[in-house]
mmCIF file of all heavy atoms in Angstrom:
data_model
loop_
_atom_site.group_PDB
_atom_site.id
_atom_site.type_symbol
_atom_site.label_atom_id
_atom_site.label_comp_id
_atom_site.label_asym_id
_atom_site.label_seq_id
_atom_site.Cartn_x
_atom_site.Cartn_y
_atom_site.Cartn_z
ATOM 1 N N LEU A 1 38.951 218.476 134.554
ATOM 2 C CA LEU A 1 39.373 219.618 133.823
ATOM 3 C C LEU A 1 38.280 220.525 133.464
ATOM 4 O O LEU A 1 37.348 220.136 132.771
ATOM 5 C CB LEU A 1 40.158 219.240 132.564
ATOM 6 C CG LEU A 1 41.559 218.626 132.707
ATOM 7 C CD1 LEU A 1 42.116 218.206 131.383
ATOM 8 C CD2 LEU A 1 42.517 219.645 133.398
ATOM 9 N N PHE A 2 38.342 221.762 133.903
ATOM 10 C CA PHE A 2 37.302 222.780 133.632
ATOM 11 C C PHE A 2 37.795 223.635 132.528
ATOM 12 O O PHE A 2 38.050 224.816 132.697
ATOM 13 C CB PHE A 2 36.923 223.603 134.885
ATOM 14 C CG PHE A 2 36.467 222.711 136.019
ATOM 15 C CD1 PHE A 2 37.302 222.477 137.120
ATOM 16 C CD2 PHE A 2 35.248 222.070 135.975
ATOM 17 C CE1 PHE A 2 36.877 221.653 138.172
ATOM 18 C CE2 PHE A 2 34.805 221.271 137.037
ATOM 19 C CZ PHE A 2 35.642 221.077 138.132
ATOM 20 N N ILE A 3 37.935 223.055 131.374
ATOM 21 C CA ILE A 3 38.505 223.820 130.200
ATOM 22 C C ILE A 3 37.503 223.716 129.062
ATOM 23 O O ILE A 3 36.714 222.785 128.901
ATOM 24 C CB ILE A 3 39.886 223.331 129.769
ATOM 25 C CG1 ILE A 3 39.810 221.874 129.381
ATOM 26 C CG2 ILE A 3 40.851 223.602 130.922
ATOM 27 C CD1 ILE A 3 41.160 221.369 128.928
ATOM 28 N N GLY A 4 37.587 224.656 128.141
ATOM 29 C CA GLY A 4 36.810 224.615 126.904
ATOM 30 C C GLY A 4 35.326 224.659 127.177
ATOM 31 O O GLY A 4 34.903 225.384 128.077
ATOM 32 N N ASP A 5 34.542 223.867 126.408
ATOM 33 C CA ASP A 5 33.095 223.885 126.506
ATOM 34 C C ASP A 5 32.537 222.746 127.263
ATOM 35 O O ASP A 5 31.470 222.165 126.931
ATOM 36 C CB ASP A 5 32.509 223.926 125.113
ATOM 37 C CG ASP A 5 32.919 225.185 124.308
ATOM 38 O OD1 ASP A 5 33.043 226.257 124.932
ATOM 39 O OD2 ASP A 5 33.154 225.062 123.116
ATOM 40 N N ALA A 6 33.249 222.262 128.273
ATOM 41 C CA ALA A 6 32.822 221.089 129.039
ATOM 42 C C ALA A 6 31.533 221.382 129.734
ATOM 43 O O ALA A 6 31.243 222.470 130.155
ATOM 44 C CB ALA A 6 33.886 220.725 130.062
ATOM 45 N N SER A 7 30.636 220.289 129.861
ATOM 46 C CA SER A 7 29.385 220.483 130.529
ATOM 47 C C SER A 7 29.608 220.423 132.069
ATOM 48 O O SER A 7 30.630 220.015 132.580
ATOM 49 C CB SER A 7 28.396 219.411 130.076
ATOM 50 O OG SER A 7 28.879 218.130 130.553
ATOM 51 N N ASN A 8 28.499 220.810 132.808
ATOM 52 C CA ASN A 8 28.570 220.745 134.219
ATOM 53 C C ASN A 8 29.632 221.605 134.852
ATOM 54 O O ASN A 8 30.308 221.196 135.817
ATOM 55 C CB ASN A 8 28.660 219.321 134.733
ATOM 56 C CG ASN A 8 28.221 219.156 136.190
ATOM 57 O OD1 ASN A 8 27.352 219.914 136.653
ATOM 58 N ND2 ASN A 8 28.826 218.197 136.871
ATOM 59 N N VAL A 9 29.826 222.802 134.299
ATOM 60 C CA VAL A 9 30.883 223.715 134.810
ATOM 61 C C VAL A 9 30.202 224.945 135.311
ATOM 62 O O VAL A 9 29.307 225.531 134.704
ATOM 63 C CB VAL A 9 31.869 224.093 133.660
ATOM 64 C CG1 VAL A 9 32.870 225.117 134.154
ATOM 65 C CG2 VAL A 9 32.583 222.823 133.239
ATOM 66 N N ALA A 10 30.696 225.399 136.491
ATOM 67 C CA ALA A 10 30.162 226.619 137.070
ATOM 68 C C ALA A 10 31.344 227.502 137.543
ATOM 69 O O ALA A 10 32.354 226.944 138.006
ATOM 70 C CB ALA A 10 29.235 226.362 138.303
ATOM 71 N N ASN A 11 31.233 228.794 137.381
ATOM 72 C CA ASN A 11 32.160 229.767 137.917
ATOM 73 C C ASN A 11 31.688 230.167 139.366
ATOM 74 O O ASN A 11 30.533 230.597 139.528
ATOM 75 C CB ASN A 11 32.272 230.988 137.051
ATOM 76 C CG ASN A 11 32.788 230.659 135.708
ATOM 77 O OD1 ASN A 11 33.855 230.012 135.540
ATOM 78 N ND2 ASN A 11 32.123 231.153 134.689
ATOM 79 N N LEU A 12 32.581 229.985 140.289
ATOM 80 C CA LEU A 12 32.233 230.232 141.724
ATOM 81 C C LEU A 12 33.110 231.357 142.283
ATOM 82 O O LEU A 12 34.242 231.337 142.158
ATOM 83 C CB LEU A 12 32.384 228.943 142.546
ATOM 84 C CG LEU A 12 31.997 228.915 144.035
ATOM 85 C CD1 LEU A 12 31.529 227.532 144.378
ATOM 86 C CD2 LEU A 12 33.076 229.389 144.915
ATOM 87 N N TYR A 13 32.393 232.228 143.012
ATOM 88 C CA TYR A 13 33.131 233.396 143.604
ATOM 89 C C TYR A 13 32.571 233.512 145.060
ATOM 90 O O TYR A 13 31.430 233.471 145.354
ATOM 91 C CB TYR A 13 32.791 234.662 142.895
ATOM 92 C CG TYR A 13 33.054 234.585 141.397
ATOM 93 C CD1 TYR A 13 31.980 234.358 140.530
ATOM 94 C CD2 TYR A 13 34.335 234.729 140.891
ATOM 95 C CE1 TYR A 13 32.208 234.238 139.174
ATOM 96 C CE2 TYR A 13 34.539 234.722 139.490
ATOM 97 C CZ TYR A 13 33.455 234.432 138.646
ATOM 98 O OH TYR A 13 33.639 234.309 137.303
ATOM 99 N N SER A 14 33.516 233.634 145.998
ATOM 100 C CA SER A 14 33.102 233.729 147.416
ATOM 101 C C SER A 14 34.122 234.667 148.146
ATOM 102 O O SER A 14 35.350 234.602 147.886
ATOM 103 C CB SER A 14 33.149 232.300 148.082
ATOM 104 O OG SER A 14 32.667 232.434 149.445
ATOM 105 N N VAL A 15 33.620 235.472 149.077
ATOM 106 C CA VAL A 15 34.442 236.384 149.795
ATOM 107 C C VAL A 15 33.895 236.468 151.198
ATOM 108 O O VAL A 15 32.691 236.404 151.490
ATOM 109 C CB VAL A 15 34.498 237.745 149.179
ATOM 110 C CG1 VAL A 15 33.080 238.401 149.073
ATOM 111 C CG2 VAL A 15 35.482 238.701 149.880
ATOM 112 N N TYR A 16 34.760 236.709 152.241
ATOM 113 C CA TYR A 16 34.342 236.903 153.609
ATOM 114 C C TYR A 16 35.258 237.951 154.222
ATOM 115 O O TYR A 16 36.424 238.071 153.783
ATOM 116 C CB TYR A 16 34.288 235.662 154.399
ATOM 117 C CG TYR A 16 35.580 235.421 155.202
ATOM 118 C CD1 TYR A 16 35.744 235.830 156.499
ATOM 119 C CD2 TYR A 16 36.601 234.751 154.580
ATOM 120 C CE1 TYR A 16 36.900 235.638 157.211
ATOM 121 C CE2 TYR A 16 37.832 234.506 155.297
ATOM 122 C CZ TYR A 16 37.982 234.966 156.563
ATOM 123 O OH TYR A 16 39.097 234.824 157.241
ATOM 124 N N ALA A 17 34.831 238.663 155.231
ATOM 125 C CA ALA A 17 35.621 239.644 155.896
ATOM 126 C C ALA A 17 34.927 239.995 157.230
ATOM 127 O O ALA A 17 33.742 239.842 157.392
ATOM 128 C CB ALA A 17 35.818 240.929 155.128
ATOM 129 N N GLY A 18 35.814 240.381 158.251
ATOM 130 C CA GLY A 18 35.261 240.784 159.567
ATOM 131 C C GLY A 18 36.306 240.917 160.596
ATOM 132 O O GLY A 18 37.433 240.378 160.419
ATOM 133 N N PRO A 19 36.047 241.565 161.661
ATOM 134 C CA PRO A 19 36.948 241.679 162.784
ATOM 135 C C PRO A 19 36.893 240.552 163.771
ATOM 136 O O PRO A 19 35.825 239.915 163.981
ATOM 137 C CB PRO A 19 36.523 243.032 163.459
ATOM 138 C CG PRO A 19 35.046 243.020 163.244
ATOM 139 C CD PRO A 19 34.801 242.389 161.922
ATOM 140 N N THR A 20 37.971 240.237 164.452
ATOM 141 C CA THR A 20 37.993 239.304 165.572
ATOM 142 C C THR A 20 38.709 239.963 166.713
ATOM 143 O O THR A 20 39.737 240.701 166.524
ATOM 144 C CB THR A 20 38.661 237.963 165.209
ATOM 145 O OG1 THR A 20 39.986 238.208 164.817
ATOM 146 C CG2 THR A 20 37.898 237.269 164.080
ATOM 147 N N PHE A 21 38.340 239.660 167.944
ATOM 148 C CA PHE A 21 39.012 240.165 169.122
ATOM 149 C C PHE A 21 39.210 239.111 170.164
ATOM 150 O O PHE A 21 38.300 238.317 170.433
ATOM 151 C CB PHE A 21 38.119 241.290 169.749
ATOM 152 C CG PHE A 21 38.736 241.865 171.037
ATOM 153 C CD1 PHE A 21 39.743 242.772 170.962
ATOM 154 C CD2 PHE A 21 38.212 241.520 172.230
ATOM 155 C CE1 PHE A 21 40.281 243.342 172.111
ATOM 156 C CE2 PHE A 21 38.754 242.063 173.441
ATOM 157 C CZ PHE A 21 39.808 242.952 173.363
ATOM 158 N N ALA A 22 40.422 238.979 170.683
ATOM 159 C CA ALA A 22 40.757 237.972 171.724
ATOM 160 C C ALA A 22 41.792 238.568 172.603
ATOM 161 O O ALA A 22 42.925 238.840 172.132
ATOM 162 C CB ALA A 22 41.147 236.623 171.131
ATOM 163 N N ARG A 23 41.459 238.815 173.916
ATOM 164 C CA ARG A 23 42.449 239.433 174.806
ATOM 165 C C ARG A 23 42.102 239.111 176.260
ATOM 166 O O ARG A 23 40.961 238.951 176.617
ATOM 167 C CB ARG A 23 42.464 240.956 174.605
ATOM 168 C CG ARG A 23 43.545 241.668 175.353
ATOM 169 C CD ARG A 23 43.665 243.120 174.956
ATOM 170 N NE ARG A 23 44.644 243.813 175.781
ATOM 171 C CZ ARG A 23 44.882 245.113 175.732
ATOM 172 N NH1 ARG A 23 44.191 245.832 174.855
ATOM 173 N NH2 ARG A 23 45.727 245.676 176.526
ATOM 174 N N ARG A 24 43.162 239.047 177.055
ATOM 175 C CA ARG A 24 43.017 238.803 178.476
ATOM 176 C C ARG A 24 43.107 240.078 179.216
ATOM 177 O O ARG A 24 44.101 240.838 179.077
ATOM 178 C CB ARG A 24 44.092 237.826 178.982
ATOM 179 C CG ARG A 24 44.011 237.466 180.447
ATOM 180 C CD ARG A 24 45.043 236.349 180.747
ATOM 181 N NE ARG A 24 45.124 236.047 182.181
ATOM 182 C CZ ARG A 24 44.293 235.208 182.749
ATOM 183 N NH1 ARG A 24 43.292 234.643 182.123
ATOM 184 N NH2 ARG A 24 44.459 234.958 184.038
ATOM 185 N N ILE A 25 42.040 240.487 179.955
ATOM 186 C CA ILE A 25 42.000 241.719 180.707
ATOM 187 C C ILE A 25 41.539 241.495 182.063
ATOM 188 O O ILE A 25 40.425 240.934 182.346
ATOM 189 C CB ILE A 25 40.965 242.712 179.986
ATOM 190 C CG1 ILE A 25 41.365 242.915 178.524
ATOM 191 C CG2 ILE A 25 40.923 244.022 180.727
ATOM 192 C CD1 ILE A 25 40.345 243.752 177.725
ATOM 193 N N GLY A 26 42.382 241.926 183.097
ATOM 194 C CA GLY A 26 42.013 241.740 184.469
ATOM 195 C C GLY A 26 41.697 240.415 184.917
ATOM 196 O O GLY A 26 40.722 240.144 185.671
ATOM 197 N N GLY A 27 42.427 239.393 184.402
ATOM 198 C CA GLY A 27 42.167 237.995 184.777
ATOM 199 C C GLY A 27 41.075 237.273 184.043
ATOM 200 O O GLY A 27 40.820 236.127 184.277
ATOM 201 N N LEU A 28 40.413 238.023 183.104
ATOM 202 C CA LEU A 28 39.306 237.392 182.311
ATOM 203 C C LEU A 28 39.767 237.393 180.813
ATOM 204 O O LEU A 28 40.432 238.238 180.339
ATOM 205 C CB LEU A 28 38.055 238.212 182.506
ATOM 206 C CG LEU A 28 37.415 238.197 183.893
ATOM 207 C CD1 LEU A 28 36.180 239.126 183.932
ATOM 208 C CD2 LEU A 28 37.043 236.804 184.361
ATOM 209 N N ASP A 29 39.289 236.366 180.118
ATOM 210 C CA ASP A 29 39.507 236.213 178.713
ATOM 211 C C ASP A 29 38.262 236.662 177.923
ATOM 212 O O ASP A 29 37.198 236.075 178.086
ATOM 213 C CB ASP A 29 39.848 234.750 178.341
ATOM 214 C CG ASP A 29 41.183 234.370 178.969
ATOM 215 O OD1 ASP A 29 42.178 234.728 178.426
ATOM 216 O OD2 ASP A 29 41.138 233.601 179.951
ATOM 217 N N PHE A 30 38.464 237.736 177.126
ATOM 218 C CA PHE A 30 37.388 238.266 176.313
ATOM 219 C C PHE A 30 37.612 237.868 174.869
ATOM 220 O O PHE A 30 38.681 237.852 174.360
ATOM 221 C CB PHE A 30 37.351 239.774 176.371
ATOM 222 C CG PHE A 30 36.944 240.334 177.739
ATOM 223 C CD1 PHE A 30 37.902 240.480 178.708
ATOM 224 C CD2 PHE A 30 35.623 240.645 177.979
ATOM 225 C CE1 PHE A 30 37.562 241.023 179.980
ATOM 226 C CE2 PHE A 30 35.253 241.180 179.237
ATOM 227 C CZ PHE A 30 36.227 241.327 180.228
ATOM 228 N N GLY A 31 36.502 237.509 174.174
ATOM 229 C CA GLY A 31 36.556 237.235 172.795
ATOM 230 C C GLY A 31 35.274 237.645 172.124
ATOM 231 O O GLY A 31 34.208 237.627 172.609
ATOM 232 N N ALA A 32 35.406 238.071 170.800
ATOM 233 C CA ALA A 32 34.217 238.540 170.036
ATOM 234 C C ALA A 32 34.642 238.494 168.571
ATOM 235 O O ALA A 32 35.800 238.550 168.230
ATOM 236 C CB ALA A 32 33.697 239.861 170.456
ATOM 237 N N GLY A 33 33.655 238.493 167.719
ATOM 238 C CA GLY A 33 33.933 238.590 166.245
ATOM 239 C C GLY A 33 32.726 238.700 165.479
ATOM 240 O O GLY A 33 31.573 238.509 165.966
ATOM 241 N N TYR A 34 32.877 239.107 164.247
ATOM 242 C CA TYR A 34 31.825 239.215 163.226
ATOM 243 C C TYR A 34 32.400 238.871 161.840
ATOM 244 O O TYR A 34 33.567 239.142 161.535
ATOM 245 C CB TYR A 34 31.305 240.663 163.193
ATOM 246 C CG TYR A 34 30.353 240.878 161.996
ATOM 247 C CD1 TYR A 34 29.081 240.408 161.954
ATOM 248 C CD2 TYR A 34 30.830 241.565 160.882
ATOM 249 C CE1 TYR A 34 28.271 240.578 160.802
ATOM 250 C CE2 TYR A 34 30.066 241.792 159.737
ATOM 251 C CZ TYR A 34 28.767 241.323 159.734
ATOM 252 O OH TYR A 34 27.956 241.462 158.643
ATOM 253 N N ARG A 35 31.566 238.169 161.080
ATOM 254 C CA ARG A 35 32.006 237.778 159.754
ATOM 255 C C ARG A 35 30.833 237.929 158.756
ATOM 256 O O ARG A 35 29.725 237.495 159.017
ATOM 257 C CB ARG A 35 32.428 236.299 159.761
ATOM 258 C CG ARG A 35 33.060 235.849 158.439
ATOM 259 C CD ARG A 35 33.594 234.409 158.619
ATOM 260 N NE ARG A 35 32.527 233.406 158.615
ATOM 261 C CZ ARG A 35 32.607 232.250 159.263
ATOM 262 N NH1 ARG A 35 33.673 231.933 159.930
ATOM 263 N NH2 ARG A 35 31.614 231.407 159.222
ATOM 264 N N PHE A 36 31.138 238.642 157.636
ATOM 265 C CA PHE A 36 30.205 238.753 156.550
ATOM 266 C C PHE A 36 30.691 237.973 155.350
ATOM 267 O O PHE A 36 31.856 238.022 155.031
ATOM 268 C CB PHE A 36 30.043 240.214 156.128
ATOM 269 C CG PHE A 36 29.245 240.386 154.859
ATOM 270 C CD1 PHE A 36 27.862 240.284 154.856
ATOM 271 C CD2 PHE A 36 29.906 240.604 153.681
ATOM 272 C CE1 PHE A 36 27.140 240.330 153.667
ATOM 273 C CE2 PHE A 36 29.206 240.701 152.437
ATOM 274 C CZ PHE A 36 27.798 240.609 152.427
ATOM 275 N N GLY A 37 29.829 237.215 154.719
ATOM 276 C CA GLY A 37 30.268 236.476 153.579
ATOM 277 C C GLY A 37 29.311 236.603 152.427
ATOM 278 O O GLY A 37 28.041 236.745 152.626
ATOM 279 N N TYR A 38 29.804 236.500 151.242
ATOM 280 C CA TYR A 38 29.031 236.539 150.001
ATOM 281 C C TYR A 38 29.538 235.477 148.994
ATOM 282 O O TYR A 38 30.722 235.324 148.814
ATOM 283 C CB TYR A 38 29.088 237.924 149.367
ATOM 284 C CG TYR A 38 28.412 238.015 147.970
ATOM 285 C CD1 TYR A 38 26.994 238.061 147.890
ATOM 286 C CD2 TYR A 38 29.129 238.007 146.852
ATOM 287 C CE1 TYR A 38 26.383 238.078 146.669
ATOM 288 C CE2 TYR A 38 28.506 238.065 145.571
ATOM 289 C CZ TYR A 38 27.157 238.104 145.522
ATOM 290 O OH TYR A 38 26.536 238.120 144.268
ATOM 291 N N THR A 39 28.556 234.747 148.422
ATOM 292 C CA THR A 39 28.977 233.736 147.479
ATOM 293 C C THR A 39 28.036 233.822 146.234
ATOM 294 O O THR A 39 26.879 233.989 146.361
ATOM 295 C CB THR A 39 28.841 232.286 148.078
ATOM 296 O OG1 THR A 39 29.697 232.221 149.245
ATOM 297 C CG2 THR A 39 29.176 231.212 147.093
ATOM 298 N N LYS A 40 28.640 233.669 145.060
ATOM 299 C CA LYS A 40 27.905 233.762 143.778
ATOM 300 C C LYS A 40 28.395 232.625 142.820
ATOM 301 O O LYS A 40 29.615 232.330 142.752
ATOM 302 C CB LYS A 40 28.206 235.132 143.167
ATOM 303 C CG LYS A 40 27.619 235.293 141.712
ATOM 304 C CD LYS A 40 26.079 235.185 141.732
ATOM 305 C CE LYS A 40 25.586 235.364 140.244
ATOM 306 N NZ LYS A 40 24.133 235.235 140.160
ATOM 307 N N VAL A 41 27.489 231.989 142.106
ATOM 308 C CA VAL A 41 27.751 230.993 141.136
ATOM 309 C C VAL A 41 27.130 231.345 139.796
ATOM 310 O O VAL A 41 25.946 231.674 139.717
ATOM 311 C CB VAL A 41 27.209 229.591 141.590
ATOM 312 C CG1 VAL A 41 27.335 228.585 140.430
ATOM 313 C CG2 VAL A 41 27.921 229.113 142.850
ATOM 314 N N ASP A 42 27.995 231.351 138.722
ATOM 315 C CA ASP A 42 27.529 231.532 137.360
ATOM 316 C C ASP A 42 27.747 230.185 136.659
ATOM 317 O O ASP A 42 28.756 229.574 136.769
ATOM 318 C CB ASP A 42 28.346 232.625 136.653
ATOM 319 C CG ASP A 42 27.974 234.008 137.182
ATOM 320 O OD1 ASP A 42 26.788 234.232 137.522
ATOM 321 O OD2 ASP A 42 28.868 234.878 137.190
ATOM 322 N N ILE A 43 26.754 229.887 135.796
ATOM 323 C CA ILE A 43 26.773 228.625 135.033
ATOM 324 C C ILE A 43 27.354 228.812 133.677
ATOM 325 O O ILE A 43 26.854 229.657 132.898
ATOM 326 C CB ILE A 43 25.354 227.974 134.958
ATOM 327 C CG1 ILE A 43 24.736 227.867 136.358
ATOM 328 C CG2 ILE A 43 25.423 226.607 134.206
ATOM 329 C CD1 ILE A 43 25.488 226.898 137.263
ATOM 330 N N ASP A 44 28.399 228.048 133.329
ATOM 331 C CA ASP A 44 28.952 228.026 132.020
ATOM 332 C C ASP A 44 28.094 227.091 131.092
ATOM 333 O O ASP A 44 27.552 227.424 130.099
ATOM 334 C CB ASP A 44 30.373 227.589 131.981
ATOM 335 C CG ASP A 44 31.356 228.770 132.047
ATOM 336 O OD1 ASP A 44 30.859 229.851 132.198
ATOM 337 O OD2 ASP A 44 32.589 228.565 131.947
ATOM 338 N N GLN A 45 28.094 225.829 131.532
ATOM 339 C CA GLN A 45 27.339 224.759 130.801
ATOM 340 C C GLN A 45 26.584 223.909 131.821
ATOM 341 O O GLN A 45 27.161 223.322 132.697
ATOM 342 C CB GLN A 45 28.298 223.864 130.012
ATOM 343 C CG GLN A 45 28.965 224.509 128.843
ATOM 344 C CD GLN A 45 28.025 224.802 127.670
ATOM 345 O OE1 GLN A 45 27.048 224.176 127.533
ATOM 346 N NE2 GLN A 45 28.371 225.774 126.901
ATOM 347 N N PRO A 46 25.222 223.920 131.752
ATOM 348 C CA PRO A 46 24.455 223.085 132.669
ATOM 349 C C PRO A 46 24.886 221.625 132.580
ATOM 350 O O PRO A 46 25.337 221.166 131.516
ATOM 351 C CB PRO A 46 23.013 223.302 132.255
ATOM 352 C CG PRO A 46 22.988 224.603 131.455
ATOM 353 C CD PRO A 46 24.328 224.626 130.816
#
């Protein structure tokens, strides 16, 4: 339980986003993509 003033608690935030592409063109299968991610941790009680 991460409630109250418990020790060993961290607030964690993470986000990712990006495009992906997958398609069959002229008998060939093309695929590509990109992903950006960001993660942050704040400490409540060490």
Side-chain angles (χ1 to χ4, degrees):
L1 283 177
F2 302 107
I3 60 177
D5 299 322
S7 66
N8 197 29
V9 175
N11 296 310
L12 184 150
Y13 309 96
S14 186
V15 61
Y16 93 93
T20 61
F21 178 78
R23 188 172 174 183
R24 183 171 173 84
I25 304 174
L28 295 176
D29 293 284
F30 292 86
Y34 167 77
R35 186 174 75 207
F36 169 80
Y38 173 75
T39 300
K40 172 66 178 177
V41 170
D42 288 327
I43 304 299
D44 266 7
Q45 292 288 336

